[in-house]
């Protein structure tokens, strides 16, 4: 079945550092890929998405590129802020009408001033 | 627009007791999902509704879990009887056709 693997956290960075959170997936066909973010005490929010190979999703300075050849969707940001501290979830939505998301286990990011 | 609303926010019960969670999706969203999120894990789908029809409940433990969405709007998820391993955050989400999912803040269940 479909699955998503994320790098384990926590990831601890200083403010303005470069961020990469790795995500790889296993799926039949061509899924849509997502990054969701969960800030402390809040619900999951969509951060960005990509629906086909080579698409780049971007939002709030975060980017991720759908790489079919490596089945990856790594999240990057050039300069993190303290306010980016949260848990980040990579997810995929499968094909054939199964629109429910399959999530990775999440990566906690802690940004220190 | 108002987001997905869930209640209660927290629930503490003793094992073997029943418990119910309620979800009001975003107005007009035809698809509703219930997910369970264990501590330190990603959410896992329990059930998905298209309007009032449960179209994917393969991961719902049907011996103790039940759900309903009678008028294709609000939904209730019930556990009876609860077990210690049911302690988790129960998330409701909704979407319209192929739009991204919108999540509620969840109900944190603690079974003692």
């Amino acid at each position: 079945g479909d699955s998503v693997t994320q790098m384990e956290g926590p990831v601890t960075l200083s403010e303005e550092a470069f961020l990469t959170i790795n995500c790889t997936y296993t799926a039949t066909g061509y899924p849509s890929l997502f990054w969701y973010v969960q800030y402390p005490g809040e619900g999951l929010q969509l951060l960005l998405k990509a629906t086909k190979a080579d698409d780049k999703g971007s939002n709030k300075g975060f980017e991720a590129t759908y790489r079919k050849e490596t089945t990856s969707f790594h999240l990057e940001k050039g300069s993190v802020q303290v306010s980016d501290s949260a848990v980040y979830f990579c997810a995929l939505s499968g094909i054939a009408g199964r629109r429910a998301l399959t999530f990775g286990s999440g990566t906690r990011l802690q940004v220190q001033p | 627009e108002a987001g997905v609303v869930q209640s209660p926010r927290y629930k503490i019960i003793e094992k073997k007791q029943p418990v119910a969670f309620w979800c009001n999706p975003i107005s007009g969203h035809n698809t509703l999902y219930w997910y369970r999120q264990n501590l330190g894990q990603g959410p896992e789908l329990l059930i998905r509704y298209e309007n009032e029809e449960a179209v994917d409940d393969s991961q719902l433990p049907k011996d103790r879990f039940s759900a309903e969405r009678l008028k294709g709007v609000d939904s209730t998820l019930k556990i009876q009887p609860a077990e210690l391993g049911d302690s988790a955050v129960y998330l409701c989400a909704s979407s319209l056709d192929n739009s991204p999912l919108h999540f509620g803040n969840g109900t944190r269940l603690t079974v003692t």
Side-chain angles (χ1 to χ4, degrees):
Chain A
D2 297 347
S3 67
V4 176
T5 303
Q6 289 182 236
M7 63 187 290
E8 290 190 14
V11 174
T12 303
L13 296 174
S14 298
E15 209 164 21
E16 299 184 4
F18 184 86
L19 168 70
T20 300
I21 300 178
N22 291 337
C23 171
T24 57
Y25 67 89
T26 301
T28 304
Y30 304 100
S32 295
L33 301 174
F34 305 82
W35 278 100
Y36 276 78
V37 59
Q38 191 170 34
Y39 297 103
E42 299 184 16
L44 283 161
Q45 303 173 24
L46 177 66
L47 181 59
L48 53 84
K49 68 174 183 176
T51 58
K52 61 182 187 295
D54 299 325
D55 266 3
K56 177 184 286 187
S58 61
N59 186 26
K60 300 180 181 180
F62 290 89
E63 294 182 339
T65 301
Y66 189 146
R67 300 290 189 195
K68 178 174 174 293
E69 62 276 12
T70 55
T71 62
S72 65
F73 193 55
H74 304 322
L75 182 68
E76 297 181 336
K77 186 175 186 182
S79 177
V80 294
Q81 305 301 312
V82 173
S83 58
D84 293 327
S85 298
V87 181
Y88 293 82
F89 292 91
C90 185
L92 67 82
S93 177
I95 61 171
R98 180 178 170 82
R99 295 195 293 272
L101 295 170
T102 298
F103 285 88
S105 57
T107 302
R108 180 175 299 277
L109 171 65
Q110 299 173 335
V111 181
Q112 299 176 337
Chain B
E1 65 179 3
V4 176
V5 178
Q6 291 188 245
S7 67
R9 189 79 172 90
Y10 303 93
K11 189 73 176 179
I12 301 174
I13 61 171
E14 294 183 347
K15 63 182 180 182
K16 301 184 181 179
Q17 294 302 305
V19 64
F21 315 123
W22 175 80
C23 173
N24 185 11
I26 291 174
S27 178
H29 281 194
N30 55 335
T31 306
L32 184 146
Y33 311 75
W34 282 103
Y35 280 84
R36 177 169 60 188
Q37 185 177 14
N38 292 311
L39 188 64
Q41 299 296 316
E44 296 177 329
L45 180 70
L46 291 173
I47 190 168
R48 175 168 69 101
Y49 282 93
E50 295 286 351
N51 300 303
E52 65 274 10
E53 181 183 1
V55 296
D56 184 356
D57 63 356
S58 57
Q59 302 303 312
L60 189 71
K62 298 181 184 62
D63 57 336
R64 297 183 300 107
F65 286 65
S66 64
E68 59 184 14
R69 194 185 185 201
L70 291 176
K71 297 183 179 179
V73 181
D74 294 3
S75 178
T76 303
L77 177 68
K78 297 179 182 178
I79 308 175
Q80 183 170 9
E83 297 179 352
L84 293 176
D86 296 332
S87 295
V89 176
Y90 291 83
L91 297 168
C92 180
S94 68
S95 68
L96 176 61
D97 297 327
N98 289 319
S99 67
L101 275 64
H102 295 258
F103 284 84
N105 287 337
T107 296
R108 182 177 296 277
L109 173 67
T110 301
V111 182
T112 62

